[in-house]
């Protein structure tokens, strides 16, 4: 069976070897006679997988000991609610950077619970640009400073972080989690859905600095309370067993292939290949975003007209290159080139881009 090339934005590419291992162990997990997904989450078999995933996540990304790693249900969207419920209820305020669709979704939920200061809104540039982080300041009394590190739909990515003093940065890193080193000391919370760089969907990962737990709204219900999940190592209730299991296999592979350094090297190669293909196309392919903030994860590009884009997508599909259609809200094309996408698949795409351009010029 040939495996297609997967440029979907999420759920997205998983290593073929991980899919095969999941398939192999799905019915009989390591000779136990049961599948792991029908085994108690209190069993020694699951315990080993759960803590392996957590420990590898910390080790590979270099997360300091004063942060807890939480595995929660509800993906990243759950965190859009959970963060303000924990930190804004009771009249608190926070800062927000409005950088695109995802930041605005997080913002919409936060406005229901507290006062929000918008410190940047990219509306005028149609969310194709980001400010110099050194020009941003946190507001007096803000409980946190919210950012979206990579806008999956708009294809823009913060390359550096603002200096926010005592106000911790809370950041949605759904679509570039563990793709580069992060200065953890600036962050109070880093969160995201697993389904881009790490595993299947349905799993929300939250990296929370321990002192944040002292600031949680004490009247919150159990599942929404970060303190409960932190004190129970994310085993307060039944965790999303399957995505955590799959992620543990992805992380083992990442470690075997050079850890974060290896990821960064492959990602740099992939993004250079595709942006070079765009920039060297004499304007046949165009990137609508400011080159300084181009995403290394989601590459958006357009062509002269929609007809041409349709033809491109149809031919790409014929070649088993899937997921290249831009998000319905912005149109155009988008190649998501997450951590698990092989460099060869990006090379196949850029070869096709050149061929298509030649055929149409
Ligand atoms: C940046 C960003 N934030 C949040 C989400 C929502 O994630 P979930 O579907 O896991 O709730 C997505 C999903 O694509 C995303 O790209």
């Amino acid at each position: 069976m040939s495996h297609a090339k997967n440029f979907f934005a999420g759920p997205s590419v998983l290593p073929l070897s991980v899919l095969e291992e999941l398939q192999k162990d799905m019915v009989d997990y390591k000779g136990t006679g049961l599948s792991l997904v029908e085994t108690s989450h209190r069993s020694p078999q699951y315990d080993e997988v759960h803590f392996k995933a957590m420990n590898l996540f910390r080790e590979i990304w270099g997360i300091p000991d004063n942060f807890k790693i939480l595995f929660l249900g509800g993906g990243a969207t759950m965190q859009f609610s959970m963060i303000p419920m924990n930190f804004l209820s009771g009249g608190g305020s926070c800062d927000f950077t409005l950088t695109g669709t995802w930041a605005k979704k997080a913002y919409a939920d936060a406005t229901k619970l507290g006062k929000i200061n918008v410190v940047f809104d990219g509306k005028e540039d149609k969310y194709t640009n980001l400010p110099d982080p050194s020009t941003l300041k946190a507001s007096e009394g803000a409980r946190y400073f919210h950012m979206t590190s990579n806008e999956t739909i708009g294809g823009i990515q913060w390359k550096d972080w603002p200096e926010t003093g005592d106000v911790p940065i809370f950041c949605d890193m759904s679509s570039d989690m563990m793709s580069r080193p992060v200065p953890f000391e600036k962050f109070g919370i880093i969160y995201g859905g697993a389904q881009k760089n790490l595993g299947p969907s349905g799993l929300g990962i939250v990296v929370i600095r321990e002192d944040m737990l002292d600031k949680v709204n004490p009247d919150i219900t159990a599942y929404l309370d970060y303190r409960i999940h932190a004190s129970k190592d994310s085993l307060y209730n039944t965790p999303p067993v399957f995505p955590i299991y799959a992620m543990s296999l992805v992380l083992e592979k990442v470690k075997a292939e050079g850890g974060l350094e290896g990821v960064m090297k492959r990602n740099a190669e992939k993004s250079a290949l595709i942006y070079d293909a765009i920039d060297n196309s004499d304007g046949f392919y165009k990137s609508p975003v400011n080159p300084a903030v181009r995403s290394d994860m989601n590459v958006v590009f357009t062509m002269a007209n929609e007809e041409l884009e349709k033809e491109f997508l149809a031919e790409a599909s014929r070649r088993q290159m899937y997921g290249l259609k831009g998000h319905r809200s912005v149109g155009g094309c988008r190649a998501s080139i997450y951590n698990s996408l092989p460099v060869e698949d990006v090379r196949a795409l850029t070869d096709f881009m050149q061929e298509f351009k030649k055929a149409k010029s």
Side-chain angles (χ1 to χ4, degrees), residues 231-352:
S231 68
K232 305 281 186 202
D233 286 321
S234 302
L235 288 163
Y236 168 69
N237 72 325
T238 318
V241 166
F242 181 74
I244 293 171
Y245 167 38
M247 180 171 75
S248 75
L249 301 181
V250 172
L251 292 172
E252 272 181 343
K253 184 169 156 62
V254 169
K255 185 175 172 179
E257 292 178 348
L260 191 58
E261 289 274 313
V263 166
M264 285 163 60
K265 188 169 163 282
R266 292 187 292 276
N267 285 350
E269 204 178 328
K270 288 184 285 183
S271 68
L273 268 171
I274 192 158
Y275 284 116
D276 282 353
I278 293 169
D279 291 341
N280 298 329
S281 71
D282 302 317
F284 186 84
Y285 302 107
K286 285 197 173 74
S287 160
V289 309
N290 175 0
V293 297
R294 285 170 167 180
S295 168
D296 288 332
M297 298 276 113
N298 310 98
V299 180
V300 293
F301 56 97
T302 57
M303 291 169 222
N305 56 61
E306 259 181 54
E307 273 316 301
L308 209 50
E309 287 167 359
K310 266 194 194 146
E311 267 188 67
F312 176 85
L313 293 170
E315 182 54 30
S317 272
R318 267 194 288 280
R319 295 173 186 228
Q320 287 206 304
M321 295 184 195
Y322 297 133
L324 288 163
K325 194 171 177 353
H327 191 269
R328 59 192 181 282
S329 62
V330 291
C333 300
R334 169 177 56 171
S336 295
I337 53 172
Y338 295 124
N339 288 0
S340 295
L341 186 73
V343 176
E344 305 82 78
D345 290 10
V346 177
R347 195 164 287 122
L349 172 61
T350 55
D351 286 350
F352 165 56

Side-chain angles (χ1 to χ4, degrees), residues 120-287:
F120 169 75
D121 187 349
K123 192 173 176 188
E124 213 166 280
D125 288 327
K126 298 202 171 82
Y127 301 102
T128 58
N129 203 359
L130 293 170
D132 174 351
S134 70
T135 61
L136 299 179
K137 287 214 165 25
S139 311
E140 183 91 28
R143 297 203 178 154
Y144 58 90
F145 186 101
H146 190 278
M147 302 177 75
T148 308
S149 54
N150 184 74
E151 285 285 357
T152 320
I153 294 173
I156 54 174
Q157 183 180 35
W158 291 94
K159 303 297 174 185
D160 207 350
W161 311 99
E163 203 47 70
T164 55
D166 290 339
V167 179
I169 300 175
F170 283 14
C171 190
D172 175 0
M173 288 197 193
S174 291
S175 48
D176 63 354
M177 197 175 258
M178 210 186 270
S179 66
R180 54 181 173 168
V182 157
F184 285 98
E185 68 281 1
K186 285 181 178 257
F187 295 84
I189 288 183
I190 290 170
Y191 68 95
Q195 67 273 21
K196 286 113 181 9
N197 273 339
L198 292 153
S201 62
L203 169 63
I205 302 165
V206 177
V207 180
I208 182 166
R209 214 170 69 202
E210 277 170 347
D211 62 327
M212 293 294 116
L213 298 170
D214 303 332
K215 300 182 175 151
V216 162
N217 162 20
D219 297 323
I220 198 158
T221 53
Y223 192 82
L224 303 177
D225 187 336
Y226 287 118
R227 294 170 306 181
I228 295 218
H229 296 293
S231 68
K232 305 281 186 202
D233 286 321
S234 302
L235 288 163
Y236 168 69
N237 72 325
T238 318
V241 166
F242 181 74
I244 293 171
Y245 167 38
M247 180 171 75
S248 75
L249 301 181
V250 172
L251 292 172
E252 272 181 343
K253 184 169 156 62
V254 169
K255 185 175 172 179
E257 292 178 348
L260 191 58
E261 289 274 313
V263 166
M264 285 163 60
K265 188 169 163 282
R266 292 187 292 276
N267 285 350
E269 204 178 328
K270 288 184 285 183
S271 68
L273 268 171
I274 192 158
Y275 284 116
D276 282 353
I278 293 169
D279 291 341
N280 298 329
S281 71
D282 302 317
F284 186 84
Y285 302 107
K286 285 197 173 74
S287 160

